[in-house]
Amino acid sequence: MDGDRFHGLSGLYQKPYQQMCEAKFDLKICIWITMGAFLKDLKKKGAALTLLKVSDLISELIGEEFQVKNPFLFWTKAEMCKVLAKNGQYDLPTLTMSCDSPHRQKPVQCGYCSSCLLRRQSLAASIIKDRTRYVVLHGERPVKHPSLYFLNMQAQVRTLDSLFAISDNPWKSITKKFPVLDDIVDQTAIVENLLPIEMQNRLIQLYRNYVSEWNAVESLISKGLLNQYSDLQISSKYTVLSQPQ
């Protein structure tokens, strides 16, 4: 069997599939390599489409249908953290790692990459005290501009807020700016047992919740980030240039 025959896979997933077909490794090792590819893909493209790819690949590897389910697909991270608060599990977040580029010395987590910022925003919005020690708050001043990720996330939130405000058809507005959302609905609505319109509405609500949570705690997570670096250029893809038609 030739691994290149599985044309629906990106380069990340072709390698473990081909290695399995050529019997270079056993099934468990191939799945382990697949999960490594999954984590890389997840950071690049997000959860919905990545989970579909991984489900397809593992199904091919094991010879039967396999599906990775995400029970929190329509939850913000803050909403997940609120469940911890409701159950009194305030210490669990300190046991987790979010940083995209963890440091070798303590503090380990930087506090200013997009994953750290989402962590800080989620904990603040869920009223869980963040006991994590971050480089940007507790360590030496980082060499890179620590505000760049924050400014881009801030611009993204403001873009979403603007798109919701200037149109009575939020899905049309948001997909004009972020067309990949149409692909997500087309490919995952059936898997989630939802009609396309139902999934569109749930995604719109998800982003509305996220915008609301961010706005509520933005001043808290901007600490240590908006001093001398506030004039950095943000990504142009988060700029609303004109009113959607």
Side-chain angles (χ1 to χ4, degrees), residues 141 146-148 150-151 154 158 218-219 221-231:
R141 191 74 176 179
S147 61
L148 185 57
F150 175 86
L151 291 172
Q154 182 188 61
R158 290 178 178 174
E218 181 182 288
S219 61
I221 61 176
S222 65
K223 184 179 179 182
L225 296 176
L226 293 183
N227 297 323
Q228 54 184 310
Y229 300 111
S230 58
D231 59 341

Side-chain angles (χ1 to χ4, degrees), residues 129-223:
K129 184 176 181 179
D130 190 355
R131 296 182 172 85
T132 310
R133 292 185 64 80
Y134 299 103
V135 172
V136 72
L137 298 177
H138 307 103
E140 296 182 2
R141 191 74 176 179
V143 176
K144 296 180 180 180
H145 297 321
S147 61
L148 185 57
Y149 295 100
F150 175 86
L151 291 172
N152 277 287
M153 293 180 72
Q154 182 188 61
Q156 183 186 54
V157 169
R158 290 178 178 174
T159 295
L160 289 170
D161 216 355
S162 298
L163 291 172
F164 292 146
I166 63 179
S167 173
D168 57 1
N169 188 339
W171 184 256
K172 182 179 179 180
S173 297
I174 199 172
T175 51
K176 185 175 181 179
K177 189 69 177 178
F178 305 105
V180 69
L181 291 174
D182 273 327
D183 294 334
I184 291 175
V185 170
D186 290 343
Q187 297 181 46
T188 61
I190 294 178
V191 176
E192 297 297 325
N193 294 317
L194 293 171
L195 294 173
I197 187 63
E198 293 174 326
M199 187 160 186
Q200 291 173 10
N201 290 336
R202 294 186 70 169
L203 287 173
I204 288 295
Q205 188 59 52
L206 171 70
Y207 291 126
R208 287 188 187 278
N209 291 345
Y210 171 66
V211 168
S212 176
E213 292 161 358
W214 174 279
N215 288 337
V217 301
E218 181 182 288
S219 61
L220 295 177
I221 61 176
S222 65
K223 184 179 179 182

Side-chain angles (χ1 to χ4, degrees), residues 5-39:
R5 289 175 61 188
F6 199 35
H7 299 295
L9 297 173
S10 68
L12 281 174
Y13 302 103
Q14 284 279 0
K15 183 177 179 180
Y17 181 76
Q18 184 172 358
Q19 288 172 332
M20 188 274 293
C21 293
E22 296 174 355
K24 290 184 177 180
F25 301 109
D26 64 22
L27 180 60
K28 288 184 179 180
I29 294 178
C30 287
I31 291 179
W32 180 259
I33 296 173
T34 300
M35 296 312 295
F38 162 69
L39 292 175

Side-chain angles (χ1 to χ4, degrees), residues 62-106:
I62 64 177
E64 59 183 76
E65 185 176 355
F66 181 91
Q67 185 177 357
V68 181
K69 295 288 290 184
N70 178 9
F72 302 107
L73 180 60
F74 301 106
W75 292 45
T76 66
K77 281 184 168 42
E79 289 171 330
M80 297 182 219
C81 290
K82 287 177 182 178
V83 175
L84 296 179
K86 182 179 180 180
N87 295 332
Q89 297 172 315
Y90 298 101
D91 294 330
L92 284 182
T94 61
L95 304 176
T96 65
M97 172 72 70
S98 302
C99 191
D100 292 332
S101 302
H103 292 228
R104 294 183 178 181
Q105 297 179 339
K106 294 183 178 180

